[in-house]
Amino acid sequence: MNAQQFAENWRSLKTELLASFTDTQGSTEVAALVQALQLTPAQHTQLRAVLDAALRDTLYTLLLGLDGAASIGNDQQSYTLHDENGQLVAEPGELEAAAWEVFHGEDAA
């Protein structure tokens, strides 16, 4: 796995979470809370956009935090990520670049 694949996996997670949070038949706590709001279709669309932006910004910031480009809580430091085979996932700066491309680039979903 490399930095690009790692960041793409986080984007996939964002997509899965957003779907589970906004599924009208969903069984997650967030889906139940959204259902309880009894939103109109237009309001549901607005809430989906809010949740999408919040998830995007959160996961993007978390990736930057792992790369040392942003703080996690009160600490800002670089972390070394290895896959289960002990292979380095990203050199310093690679994760930040991949995260930007995946979450904010032309093909961001």
Side-chain angles (χ1 to χ4, degrees):
M1 177 177 305
N2 62 29
Q4 187 70 29
Q5 293 164 322
F6 190 76
E8 287 172 0
N9 285 341
W10 285 92
R11 181 180 56 193
S12 293
L13 175 63
K14 179 193 75 82
T15 301
E16 292 168 19
L17 288 171
L18 182 61
S20 73
F21 292 168
T22 58
D23 181 1
T24 57
Q25 304 302 315
S27 60
T28 67
E29 181 180 2
V30 174
L33 291 168
V34 170
Q35 290 170 28
L37 293 172
Q38 299 181 340
L39 301 173
T40 66
Q43 290 171 324
H44 192 268
T45 298
Q46 289 176 318
L47 179 60
R48 183 179 174 84
V50 168
L51 292 172
D52 185 46
L55 286 167
R56 181 197 64 228
D57 290 355
T58 299
L59 295 174
Y60 173 71
T61 302
L62 184 120
L63 289 172
L64 265 58
L66 292 174
D67 203 39
S71 63
I72 299 175
N74 294 325
D75 296 320
Q76 183 169 350
Q77 62 183 19
S78 295
Y79 297 89
T80 304
L81 298 173
H82 293 89
D83 65 17
E84 62 186 15
N85 298 318
Q87 298 297 312
L88 184 65
V89 172
E91 295 289 338
E94 287 180 342
L95 194 52
E96 177 185 8
W100 173 260
E101 182 179 326
V102 165
F103 285 103
H104 297 289
E106 289 181 19
D107 297 329

